[in-house]
Amino acid sequence: MNAPAPDVVGAAIARPDAYDKLTGCEQYVCDMALPGMLHAAVVRSTRPHARIVALDGRAAAAMPGVAAVLTAADIPGENVIPVVLRDQPFLAREVVRYIGEPIALVAAETAAQARAAAAAVQIEYDELPAVFDACAARRHAGVRIFGPDNIFKHLELVRGETVQAFAQCAAVVENTYTTPPQEHAYLETQGMLAVPLPGGVMQVYGSMQCPFYVREAVAATLGIALARAQIVQTTTGGAFGGKEDVPSLPAAQAALLAWRTRRPVKLIYGRDEDIACTSKRHAAWIHARHGALADGTLHAVEVEYVLDGGAYATLSPVVLFRGVVHAVGPYRCAHVRVTGDAVATNNVPAGAFRGFGSPQVLFAAERQMDELARALRMDAVELRRRNLLQTGDATVTGQVLRESVGAQETLGTALETARARPLAPVRDPARWARGTGVSAIFYGVGLGAGGARMARTGADVCINEDGSVAFAVGTTEIGQGMRTVLSQIVADTLGIAAECVTMLPTDTTRVPDSGPTVASRATTMSGAALQDAAMELRRRLMAVAGELLGCAPQALTLRAGTVCQGGAATPLTFRELVHACGDRRVGLAATGWHHPPTLPFDWATCQGDAYAVYAFATNIADVEVDRHTGQVRVLRIVAAHDVGKAVNPALVEGQIEGGTLQGLGYALYEEVVSEHERIKNAQFSTYIIPSAAEMPEIVPVIVEAPYSGGPFGAKGFGEQPLMGVAPAIANAVCNALGLAVNKVPLTPEYIWHLMDSRDGK
């Protein structure tokens, strides 16, 4: 049987969910209501670190409409939210470790009654010392939060001999960089609806990225088998990583109340509650030392990387792994030492966020490349060109890249695109300083060596009697366009139109555990599993087609809904073939499975194959800086991305535009403001994100370096558009003003202070 020829893959077909979302017909969990449904609220800690001396919920329980007030003592299963280290309690019982930590739960007839009762729960604390700085916590600072040293995870990457290598360098630059927490700012807050069913089954509907994470948390909390926790993803209004580990909490909260009351329970976090109490991007401290030979060869790098993990580990150990692997950027370097620590503090637990530990360390790496170029008196683009990874090169973990290495092509294409679109002259050169900055980044696609056990995916495909096709996967549509892309992959594998293909809701009872929808893995993993299932169906279809047409099945293929032989269409259509299979009782449902190859990796030195494949990108930013106020105005960003194969080019361009704007917010505006470690700006009116007014010209450029392990050559895409924006903008600001910046966001106050210090005012 001939391999399918792509007709739909590579086409910019419309999203099947677009109309319902645009017209408001789409149903989110907040829109759902069931007979007898209760509403929930969470009682949260008002102290960053304290012992719970007494807890009294009697007054709350007596209030109108209240159906239940529950504490840790009411949990029938384990008091744990299972993530990596299983250190986070579902409800605090003896000690609270951050402001906003859940202590008790309330269910009532209305949301207002639930909130009023939650406020009436009385808690007496005995305050304990707290620490909010990761570097101080790593030195203990007299506060013990986790283990003997407050370190969730320590990693060391060792390659070559850096001490001798630095002595051989013609130029060495050494700097310290800091990056802040970042709020996900998804439009839909965390929300769940739990429904107790007969037979001890707990059904949970909600906004989430990782239904199987939620299933494990609900099962652990209620003490039930995984098979009795049915998790169904509802339409999800954005995530960006913020709905990876966090939804386990509201899901288990709603489920515990539903288990106790035997009634459906809905829990929707308010915006201020969501921002104040849920995970953020890890704040980071990075000390970097880079050395190069006289010809510009990057020869030695040392990096110390410290992540503020907050009060509980959540995903910090694997976030740290990705950051350590990416600490040098997409470059060859023979001598490298990277040390990384994910540290416990009394801040809100940090978690997954688009880029997953890479944007922080890549900001430092790309700033260092510009500073190194300056020390060498070399053009910054040329320095990158001489050191960028190419096919056959080894990464700093010693992994030889054998295919799909588009780093040089993204750099060259981005430069050509920028040169072909000259900007208008500066309107007021006396006031506005203009600069251009570049960044080059790479990103390990998938879970890599740090998540090998979860790197598997199942999928089901069923062809119906009318020729329509339904498929189910364990990964989720969270706005990134997965539903569209996977429909295209199924359509082309079966040789039919995309309109004939429908994705079923993601439900943990439909498919086997498929791991999380993170790390830009949905297209490659679920796409490959769907190909596996669809190819099995093609084999069955072609066997029947060969019988009907009197030829070998290997001589036939399916294309555009018709059986073809030797490139020519036959009278046999796909729908007729399906009917013929039905007459012969040939099953037209199949399960697919996919997992990437096992990656050899030495954890003692972080040497080996860290990821199966890498994506690459180059960003070029043009900015103007107000010499009087420090305001940074981004004029244009050219963003060239190697995606392997653009299954849907329009969606790829949309991802580039959206991710670039989110990266611009990280670079210029977004600050989590705390006072006495309580988040003060927990609203969109005070947490500043870019609006349409701040959106610069964004020029998306698609580069395709095909990956043989991905469906139709695709490799993951979604994380990368954000990752290189902040360093490109920072480098542009440095070039505009002739000074160095070492942190984000680049607020007017920060830039003005740098200019003021430089000018000695």
Side-chain angles (χ1 to χ4, degrees), residues 432-483:
W432 293 92
R434 181 174 291 183
T436 299
V438 65
S439 72
I441 61 101
F442 77 146
Y443 181 80
V445 176
L447 302 178
R453 188 177 182 277
M454 294 189 295
R456 71 281 197 246
T457 305
D460 287 335
V461 180
C462 178
I463 303 175
N464 299 299
E465 290 187 10
D466 63 354
S468 65
V469 177
F471 72 88
V473 293
T475 50
T476 56
E477 170 63 63
I478 51 178
Q480 80 279 38
M482 182 199 78
R483 176 178 172 184

Side-chain angles (χ1 to χ4, degrees), residues 457-667:
T457 305
D460 287 335
V461 180
C462 178
I463 303 175
N464 299 299
E465 290 187 10
D466 63 354
S468 65
V469 177
F471 72 88
V473 293
T475 50
T476 56
E477 170 63 63
I478 51 178
Q480 80 279 38
M482 182 199 78
R483 176 178 172 184
T484 313
V485 168
L486 295 186
S487 296
Q488 290 178 262
I489 290 171
V490 171
D492 259 357
T493 306
L494 291 176
I496 58 177
E499 296 77 31
C500 300
V501 181
T502 299
M503 186 180 109
L504 300 173
T506 300
D507 182 333
T508 57
T509 63
R510 290 187 187 273
V511 291
D513 188 343
S514 300
T517 306
V518 298
S520 302
R521 68 189 291 270
T523 298
T524 52
M525 295 293 291
S526 287
L530 286 167
Q531 274 195 307
D532 183 40
M535 287 300 291
E536 171 58 29
L537 295 177
R538 279 179 65 92
R539 283 188 283 271
R540 299 177 197 175
L541 290 165
M542 291 299 93
V544 173
E547 179 185 334
L548 293 173
L549 296 173
C551 64
Q554 294 80 7
L556 302 174
T557 190
L558 276 165
R559 191 163 189 180
T562 303
V563 177
C564 298
Q565 182 177 13
T570 71
L572 185 60
T573 67
F574 180 79
R575 188 168 181 175
E576 291 168 341
L577 181 55
V578 169
H579 276 288
C581 288
D583 293 339
R584 289 161 174 75
R585 292 178 289 184
V586 174
L588 291 182
T591 295
W593 186 253
H594 175 72
H595 65 82
T598 301
L599 301 171
F601 197 79
D602 178 5
W603 287 96
T605 60
C606 287
Q607 291 295 292
D609 292 1
Y611 295 92
V613 69
Y614 295 84
F616 299 86
T618 296
N619 286 273
I620 299 175
D622 293 291
V623 308
E624 289 181 347
V625 186
D626 190 328
R627 303 178 195 271
H628 297 172
T629 67
Q631 178 191 351
V632 177
R633 184 166 62 194
V634 179
L635 305 176
R636 181 182 68 188
I637 298 177
V638 176
H641 287 268
D642 164 25
V643 301
K645 170 65 178 179
V647 177
N648 188 311
L651 292 185
V652 170
E653 291 181 353
Q655 284 279 21
I656 292 173
E657 291 168 353
T660 299
L661 191 62
Q662 195 172 42
L664 184 145
Y666 186 52

Side-chain angles (χ1 to χ4, degrees), residues 223-463:
I224 61 177
L226 291 173
R228 288 186 171 152
Q230 180 187 9
I231 314 301
V232 183
Q233 185 220 12
T234 56
T235 301
T236 296
F240 311 115
K243 293 178 182 172
E244 179 177 352
D245 54 308
V246 172
S248 293
L249 268 168
Q253 288 162 354
L256 180 62
L257 290 165
W259 169 82
R260 170 58 69 91
T261 62
R262 303 308 303 167
R263 293 170 64 179
V265 175
K266 182 160 75 171
L267 174 60
I268 307 294
Y269 286 4
R271 177 64 64 186
D272 55 348
E273 180 182 25
D274 195 297
I275 292 180
C277 303
T278 66
S279 69
K280 306 285 175 282
R281 185 186 298 284
H282 291 72
W285 179 92
I286 309 108
H287 184 79
R289 189 179 184 214
H290 283 51
L293 303 178
D295 65 354
T297 299
L298 189 61
H299 192 55
V301 174
E302 289 182 346
V303 177
E304 186 180 2
Y305 186 37
V306 179
L307 288 175
D308 182 347
Y312 297 106
T314 67
L315 294 159
S316 292
V318 280
V319 172
L320 181 73
F321 165 72
R322 184 175 286 278
V324 166
V325 169
H326 291 75
V328 179
Y331 305 108
R332 300 180 299 275
C333 188
H335 306 279
V336 178
R337 177 176 290 273
V338 181
T339 61
D341 288 311
V343 182
T345 67
N346 291 113
N347 294 317
V348 172
F353 198 133
R354 196 176 198 170
F356 207 75
S358 297
Q360 301 94 313
V361 78
L362 286 169
F363 173 76
E366 285 304 286
R367 282 291 300 115
Q368 283 288 96
M369 290 300 284
D370 259 37
E371 294 302 314
L372 191 59
R374 192 168 288 111
L376 289 166
R377 300 184 183 276
M378 181 180 291
D379 179 73
V381 170
E382 182 58 28
L383 179 65
R384 288 173 170 83
R385 194 194 311 275
R386 294 185 185 190
N387 290 284
L388 277 172
L389 290 163
Q390 302 184 58
T391 303
D393 286 341
T395 68
V396 296
T397 71
Q399 179 175 356
V400 177
L401 302 180
R402 306 191 185 282
E403 62 169 327
S404 192
V405 186
Q408 292 280 359
E409 191 174 352
T410 66
L411 179 64
T413 306
L415 289 169
E416 291 173 8
T417 303
R419 289 167 183 157
R421 304 166 70 106
L423 295 170
V426 182
R427 286 175 294 176
D428 184 0
R431 177 161 185 171
W432 293 92
R434 181 174 291 183
T436 299
V438 65
S439 72
I441 61 101
F442 77 146
Y443 181 80
V445 176
L447 302 178
R453 188 177 182 277
M454 294 189 295
R456 71 281 197 246
T457 305
D460 287 335
V461 180
C462 178
I463 303 175

Side-chain angles (χ1 to χ4, degrees), residues 43-55 92 94-103 121-128:
V43 180
R44 299 183 180 276
S45 168
T46 58
R47 306 291 193 277
H49 198 198
R51 296 192 186 281
I52 300 174
V53 177
L55 191 159
E94 298 177 352
V95 178
V96 293
R97 292 182 170 85
Y98 69 96
I99 291 176
E101 181 168 3
I103 300 174
V121 174
Q122 298 177 3
I123 304 172
E124 182 181 343
Y125 299 98
D126 180 11
E127 300 220 25
L128 297 171

Side-chain angles (χ1 to χ4, degrees), residues 667-720:
L668 297 183
Y669 308 121
E670 299 186 39
E671 289 186 287
V672 176
V673 180
S674 299
E675 184 176 59
H676 305 301
E677 304 319 311
R678 186 185 304 276
I679 294 175
K680 294 181 64 178
N681 57 332
Q683 293 288 346
F684 282 164
S685 59
T686 50
Y687 183 84
I688 307 303
I689 58 176
S691 69
E694 287 79 42
M695 186 169 180
E697 179 188 9
I698 298 173
V699 185
V701 180
I702 297 173
V703 172
E704 294 180 319
Y707 169 48
S708 63
F712 296 96
K715 55 187 176 184
F717 185 70
E719 315 265 327
Q720 305 92 283

